[in-house]
Amino acid sequence: MTARDRVLAAVRAVAAWVDDPSRGRERRRRLAAALRRAAPEAAPAAPARAAGPLRPVLEQRRWRAGACADLEAALAAGDPRGAEELERLLRHVELRRGDALAEIEPPQDRAGVARERAAVCSLLARQAPARRDVRLLNAALKLADRFAPRAPRLVGSAAAADWARALSDVESALAELERQCASRC
C-alpha cells in the first residue's frame, strides 16, 4: 500500500466518521472495553514528576523520560514555559518524523521508548481540543501512525495498553475538535 493509498483510506475513514459520529463513539466504547479486558492491571504511563520548576522536555534533541507529567502540570497551571515546551515538542515530532523521540534520557528499552511515545501521543491529543490547535492532533496522529505497535508481543502488554489509551485519546480529540468546528458553523 503506497502512502497515497493510506492517505486516501484515512480521508475516507474520517469522512465516514464525520457522516456518522455514532460510529466513532461506538468504536471508542469498544476500544475502552477491550482495554479493560486485555490489561486491567496495567496502569497508564505516569512517570514521577520532577520537583521544582519545569525543565526543558527536549534537551539537545533528547527527550527527558517522564517529561509528559511535568509538561502537563505546567500547561494546567498556565505556565508560559509549558506552552513554549509544547511548541518545541510539536516541532520535534514534525521535523524528526521517524526519529521522533528516538533519543531518550536516561536510555530506555524498547518497551520504555514505546511507553514514552504513547504518553507524548496522548498528551498531544489531549491538548489539541483544549488549545483548539489541529496541529497538535496532526502530530499525535503522525506518532500513532508511525509508532503504535502492530505486534504487542514486541513491546509488552503495558506499552500496548498505553498505546490503546493514546489511540482512545486521539479519537476523543478528533470528536471534540469536530464538535468545536460544528458549533462555530
Coordinates of all heavy atoms in Angstrom, one line a residue, residues 113-153:
V113 N 10.6 3.0 25.5 CA 10.5 4.0 24.4 C 9.1 4.0 23.9 O 8.5 5.1 23.6 CB 11.5 3.7 23.3 CG1 11.3 4.5 22.0 CG2 13.0 3.9 23.7
A114 N 8.5 2.8 23.7 CA 7.1 2.8 23.3 C 6.2 3.5 24.3 O 5.2 4.2 23.8 CB 6.7 1.3 23.1
R115 N 6.4 3.3 25.6 CA 5.5 3.9 26.6 C 5.7 5.4 26.5 O 4.7 6.2 26.7 CB 5.8 3.4 27.9 CG 5.4 1.9 28.1 CD 5.4 1.4 29.5 NE 4.2 1.9 30.1 CZ 3.9 1.6 31.4 NH1 4.8 0.9 32.1 NH2 2.8 2.0 31.9
E116 N 6.9 5.9 26.4 CA 7.1 7.4 26.3 C 6.5 8.0 25.1 O 5.8 9.0 25.1 CB 8.6 7.7 26.3 CG 9.3 7.5 27.6 CD 8.9 8.5 28.7 OE1 8.5 9.6 28.3 OE2 9.0 8.1 29.8
R117 N 6.6 7.3 23.9 CA 6.0 7.8 22.7 C 4.4 7.8 22.9 O 3.8 8.7 22.4 CB 6.4 6.9 21.5 CG 7.8 7.3 21.1 CD 8.2 6.4 19.9 NE 9.5 6.8 19.4 CZ 10.4 6.0 18.8 NH1 10.1 4.7 18.6 NH2 11.5 6.5 18.3
A118 N 3.9 6.8 23.5 CA 2.4 6.7 23.7 C 2.0 7.9 24.7 O 1.0 8.5 24.4 CB 2.1 5.4 24.4
A119 N 2.8 8.1 25.7 CA 2.5 9.2 26.6 C 2.5 10.6 25.8 O 1.6 11.4 26.1 CB 3.5 9.3 27.8
V120 N 3.5 10.8 25.0 CA 3.5 12.0 24.2 C 2.3 12.1 23.2 O 1.7 13.2 23.1 CB 4.9 12.1 23.4 CG1 4.9 13.3 22.4 CG2 6.0 12.3 24.4
C121 N 2.0 11.0 22.6 CA 0.9 11.0 21.7 C -0.4 11.3 22.4 O -1.2 12.2 22.0 CB 0.7 9.6 21.0 SG -0.6 9.4 19.9
S122 N -0.6 10.8 23.6 CA -1.7 11.1 24.4 C -1.8 12.5 24.8 O -2.8 13.2 24.8 CB -1.7 10.1 25.6 OG -2.9 10.2 26.3
L123 N -0.6 13.1 25.3 CA -0.5 14.5 25.7 C -0.9 15.4 24.5 O -1.7 16.3 24.7 CB 0.9 14.8 26.1 CG 1.2 16.3 26.4 CD1 0.5 16.7 27.6 CD2 2.7 16.5 26.4
L124 N -0.4 15.2 23.3 CA -0.7 16.0 22.2 C -2.2 15.9 21.9 O -2.8 16.9 21.6 CB 0.2 15.6 21.0 CG 1.7 15.9 21.1 CD1 2.4 15.2 19.9 CD2 1.9 17.3 21.1
A125 N -2.7 14.7 21.9 CA -4.1 14.6 21.6 C -5.0 15.3 22.6 O -6.0 15.9 22.3 CB -4.5 13.1 21.5
R126 N -4.7 15.2 23.9 CA -5.5 15.9 24.9 C -5.4 17.4 24.8 O -6.3 18.1 25.1 CB -5.1 15.4 26.3 CG -5.6 14.0 26.6 CD -5.4 13.7 28.1 NE -4.1 13.9 28.6 CZ -3.1 13.0 28.6 NH1 -3.3 11.8 28.1 NH2 -1.9 13.3 29.1
Q127 N -4.2 17.9 24.4 CA -4.0 19.3 24.4 C -4.7 19.9 23.1 O -5.0 21.1 23.1 CB -2.6 19.7 24.4 CG -1.9 19.4 25.7 CD -2.5 20.3 26.8 OE1 -2.8 21.5 26.6 NE2 -2.8 19.7 28.0
A128 N -4.9 19.1 22.0 CA -5.4 19.7 20.8 C -6.8 20.3 21.0 O -6.9 21.5 20.6 CB -5.5 18.6 19.7
P129 N -7.8 19.7 21.6 CA -9.1 20.4 21.7 C -9.0 21.5 22.8 O -9.7 22.5 22.6 CB -10.1 19.3 22.1 CG -9.3 18.1 22.5 CD -7.9 18.3 21.9
A130 N -8.2 21.3 23.8 CA -8.1 22.3 24.8 C -7.5 23.6 24.3 O -7.9 24.7 24.7 CB -7.2 21.8 26.0
R131 N -6.6 23.5 23.3 CA -6.0 24.7 22.7 C -6.6 25.0 21.4 O -6.1 26.0 20.7 CB -4.5 24.5 22.6 CG -3.8 24.3 23.9 CD -2.3 24.1 23.8 NE -1.8 24.2 25.1 CZ -1.5 25.3 25.8 NH1 -1.8 26.4 25.3 NH2 -1.0 25.3 27.0
R132 N -7.5 24.2 20.9 CA -8.1 24.4 19.6 C -7.1 24.5 18.5 O -7.1 25.3 17.7 CB -9.0 25.6 19.6 CG -10.2 25.4 20.5 CD -11.1 26.6 20.4 NE -12.2 26.3 21.3 CZ -13.4 26.9 21.2 NH1 -13.6 27.7 20.3 NH2 -14.4 26.5 22.1
D133 N -6.1 23.5 18.6 CA -5.0 23.5 17.7 C -4.9 22.2 16.9 O -4.6 21.1 17.5 CB -3.7 23.7 18.5 CG -2.5 24.0 17.6 OD1 -2.6 23.8 16.4 OD2 -1.5 24.5 18.1
V134 N -5.3 22.2 15.7 CA -5.3 21.0 14.9 C -3.9 20.4 14.7 O -3.7 19.2 14.5 CB -6.0 21.2 13.5 CG1 -5.9 20.1 12.6 CG2 -7.5 21.5 13.8
R135 N -2.9 21.3 14.7 CA -1.5 20.8 14.5 C -1.1 19.8 15.6 O -0.4 18.8 15.3 CB -0.5 22.0 14.6 CG -0.7 23.1 13.6 CD 0.2 24.3 13.8 NE 0.1 24.7 15.2 CZ 1.1 25.2 15.8 NH1 2.3 25.3 15.3 NH2 1.0 25.6 17.1
L136 N -1.6 20.0 16.8 CA -1.3 19.0 17.9 C -1.9 17.7 17.6 O -1.3 16.6 17.8 CB -1.8 19.5 19.2 CG -1.1 20.8 19.7 CD1 -1.8 21.4 20.9 CD2 0.3 20.6 20.0
L137 N -3.2 17.7 17.1 CA -3.8 16.4 16.7 C -3.1 15.8 15.6 O -2.9 14.5 15.6 CB -5.3 16.6 16.4 CG -6.1 15.4 16.0 CD1 -6.1 14.4 17.1 CD2 -7.5 15.8 15.6
N138 N -2.7 16.6 14.6 CA -1.9 16.0 13.5 C -0.6 15.3 13.9 O -0.3 14.3 13.5 CB -1.6 17.2 12.5 CG -1.0 16.7 11.2 OD1 -1.3 15.6 10.7 ND2 0.0 17.4 10.8
A139 N 0.1 16.0 14.8 CA 1.3 15.4 15.4 C 1.0 14.1 16.1 O 1.7 13.1 16.0 CB 2.0 16.4 16.3
A140 N -0.1 14.1 16.9 CA -0.5 12.8 17.6 C -0.8 11.7 16.6 O -0.4 10.6 16.8 CB -1.7 13.1 18.5
L141 N -1.5 12.1 15.5 CA -1.8 11.1 14.5 C -0.6 10.6 13.8 O -0.5 9.4 13.5 CB -2.8 11.7 13.5 CG -4.2 11.9 13.9 CD1 -5.0 12.8 13.0 CD2 -4.9 10.5 14.1
K142 N 0.4 11.4 13.6 CA 1.7 11.0 13.0 C 2.4 10.0 13.9 O 2.9 9.0 13.4 CB 2.5 12.2 12.6 CG 2.1 13.0 11.4 CD 2.9 14.1 11.1 CE 2.4 14.9 9.9 NZ 3.2 16.1 9.6
L143 N 2.5 10.4 15.2 CA 3.1 9.5 16.1 C 2.4 8.1 16.1 O 3.1 7.1 16.1 CB 3.1 10.1 17.5 CG 4.2 11.1 17.8 CD1 4.0 11.6 19.2 CD2 5.6 10.4 17.8
A144 N 1.1 8.1 16.2 CA 0.3 6.9 16.3 C 0.5 6.1 15.0 O 0.7 4.9 15.1 CB -1.2 7.2 16.5
D145 N 0.5 6.7 13.9 CA 0.6 6.0 12.6 C 2.0 5.4 12.5 O 2.1 4.3 12.0 CB 0.4 7.0 11.4 CG 0.4 6.3 10.1 OD1 -0.2 5.2 9.9 OD2 1.1 6.8 9.2
R146 N 3.0 6.1 13.0 CA 4.4 5.6 12.8 C 4.8 4.6 13.9 O 5.5 3.6 13.6 CB 5.3 6.8 12.9 CG 6.7 6.5 12.8 CD 7.1 6.1 11.4 NE 8.5 5.9 11.3 CZ 9.1 5.2 10.4 NH1 8.4 4.7 9.4 NH2 10.4 5.1 10.4
F147 N 4.3 4.8 15.1 CA 4.8 4.0 16.2 C 3.9 3.1 17.0 O 4.3 2.4 17.9 CB 5.5 4.9 17.2 CG 6.7 5.7 16.6 CD1 6.6 7.1 16.5 CD2 7.8 5.0 16.2 CE1 7.7 7.8 16.0 CE2 8.9 5.7 15.7 CZ 8.8 7.1 15.5
A148 N 2.6 3.2 16.8 CA 1.7 2.4 17.5 C 2.0 0.9 17.2 O 2.1 0.6 16.0 CB 0.2 2.7 17.2
P149 N 2.2 0.1 18.2 CA 2.7 -1.2 18.0 C 1.7 -2.1 17.2 O 0.5 -2.2 17.6 CB 3.0 -1.8 19.4 CG 2.2 -1.0 20.3 CD 2.1 0.4 19.6
R150 N 2.1 -2.7 16.2 CA 1.3 -3.6 15.5 C 1.4 -5.0 16.0 O 0.6 -5.9 15.8 CB 1.6 -3.6 14.0 CG 1.0 -2.4 13.3 CD 1.7 -2.0 12.1 NE 1.2 -0.8 11.4 CZ 1.4 0.5 11.9 NH1 2.1 0.7 13.0 NH2 1.0 1.5 11.2
A151 N 2.5 -5.3 16.8 CA 2.7 -6.6 17.4 C 3.0 -6.3 18.9 O 4.1 -6.1 19.3 CB 3.9 -7.3 16.7
P152 N 1.9 -6.3 19.7 CA 2.1 -6.0 21.2 C 3.1 -6.9 21.9 O 3.8 -6.5 22.8 CB 0.8 -6.2 21.8 CG -0.2 -6.1 20.6 CD 0.6 -6.6 19.4
R153 N 3.4 -8.1 21.3 CA 4.3 -9.0 22.0 C 5.7 -8.5 21.9 O 6.6 -8.8 22.8 CB 4.2 -10.4 21.4 CG 4.6 -10.5 19.9 CD 4.5 -11.9 19.3 NE 4.4 -11.9 17.9 CZ 5.3 -11.5 17.1 NH1 6.4 -11.0 17.5 NH2 5.1 -11.6 15.8

